[in-house]
Amino acid sequence: MTTTTTLTERYISATIRSLRPDAQDDVRAELEASIADAIEARVDQGDAPEDAERAVLTELGDPGVLAAGYADRPLYLIGPRFYLTWWRLLKLLLIIVPVCVLGAVALGQTISGAPVGEIISSSILAAGGAILHICFWTTLVFVILDRSDSATAIEKWDLDQLPEPAEKGAAGRSDLIASLVFLGVAVGALFWDRFRGFVIVDGTVVPVVDPQLWPWGISVLFLLIAAEAVFAVVLFRTGRWTTGLAVANTILALSFLLWVVVLLLTNQLVNPDVLARIAAAGGEGFAAGQAASAEEGGVLRILAVLLGFGVAIGVGWDIVDGWIKTVRARRA
């Protein structure tokens, strides 16, 4: 009897110790009665008392799980009420926030003139920290919500929450027209900047794009624009995105990025006369002396960094969008 009493008492004590004090006596009495009846039934069937007790307690399972059932306490971080909401929000934040953090840190480090290794390491560490914080704090908020009775509105669902049908990678006439119009506007803007000008200082037209690029340097850009136009027509004739078209789109986008970056690094893209004339129009003190030259050079470098990051973001999105449409087209 010593062994039987000890095992049963240990099991009951492990079960009730996490319950409220006012509920422990009732649960103890209930468990003692049910365990005793189950043991007695097994003994009547021919089991030894020790074996019967072990079998009964084993069938009852982990006392922590049994206690959670008595206390109506969940044994999970996020239950079915909020799981899908948590998962959708977490995916959205992980798609947007780390990329923004990485880009912002890289931009700030580049403008400050940090070495390439420091720019890369700082950006990666910042993005990794953002991922950890997003996962931890988002999960913590939903853990609290799941155990609170005050936040029931978030779990309500209606038909307005149905997602729009996703694109299947098709390329329609509107896409072709939009692409050709955009490319045409880009060509027109280049010619306008060269011969009419977007910036006029003291009645003098100052091109934004360095005039030294004409005609040979700018012809590379015109070739890329023509290739983009041909790509848009081929995509329209094909009717849907394919792996080959996605690869071609990636090559064209990276070629344009390479053209911009090379010219920015060699200070050949933006007309240096633009800031010089604006500075001269703004006052003699700003335009005169070595201090003014250093100021102008710093502004040019910052503008170059901002322009390079802007082009890189646009190119990256164009590549990612092409591959997303390709995957959707293959699944359709």
Side-chain angles (χ1 to χ4, degrees), residues 143-186:
V143 168
I144 296 173
L145 285 176
D146 204 23
R147 286 152 177 78
S148 172
D149 296 329
S150 60
T152 57
I154 194 174
E155 62 181 308
K156 292 182 179 179
W157 183 91
D158 55 44
L159 289 174
D160 293 333
Q161 297 179 12
L162 282 175
E164 294 293 333
E167 294 183 39
K168 297 302 182 181
R173 187 179 301 273
S174 60
D175 295 326
L176 172 64
I177 294 174
S179 298
L180 295 180
V181 168
F182 174 78
L183 295 174
V185 169

Side-chain angles (χ1 to χ4, degrees), residues 1 4 9 21 41 59 87 112 137 145 156 172 179 203 244 253 269 276 302:
M1 290 299 297
T4 301
E9 179 58 32
E59 288 179 356
W87 181 235
S112 65
W137 293 109
L145 285 176
K156 292 182 179 179
S179 298
L269 181 59
I302 292 175

Side-chain angles (χ1 to χ4, degrees), residues 278-299:
I278 294 176
E284 295 181 358
F286 180 83
Q290 294 181 352
S293 299
E295 179 81 12
E296 180 184 327
V299 172

Side-chain angles (χ1 to χ4, degrees), residues 221-240:
L221 179 58
F222 285 143
L223 287 175
L224 290 174
I225 292 175
E228 284 283 357
V230 172
F231 173 82
V233 174
V234 173
L235 177 60
F236 172 71
R237 295 292 297 273
T238 305
R240 61 194 298 114

Side-chain angles (χ1 to χ4, degrees), residues 1-13 31-32 35-40 43 47-57:
M1 290 299 297
T2 303
T3 303
T4 301
T5 303
T6 301
L7 285 178
T8 302
E9 179 58 32
R10 285 171 56 191
Y11 186 90
I12 294 176
S13 297
L31 283 177
E32 286 177 346
I35 290 173
D37 291 341
I39 292 174
E40 184 179 354
V43 171
D47 291 351
E50 294 82 0
D51 296 337
E53 179 196 29
R54 288 184 174 274
V56 169
L57 297 180

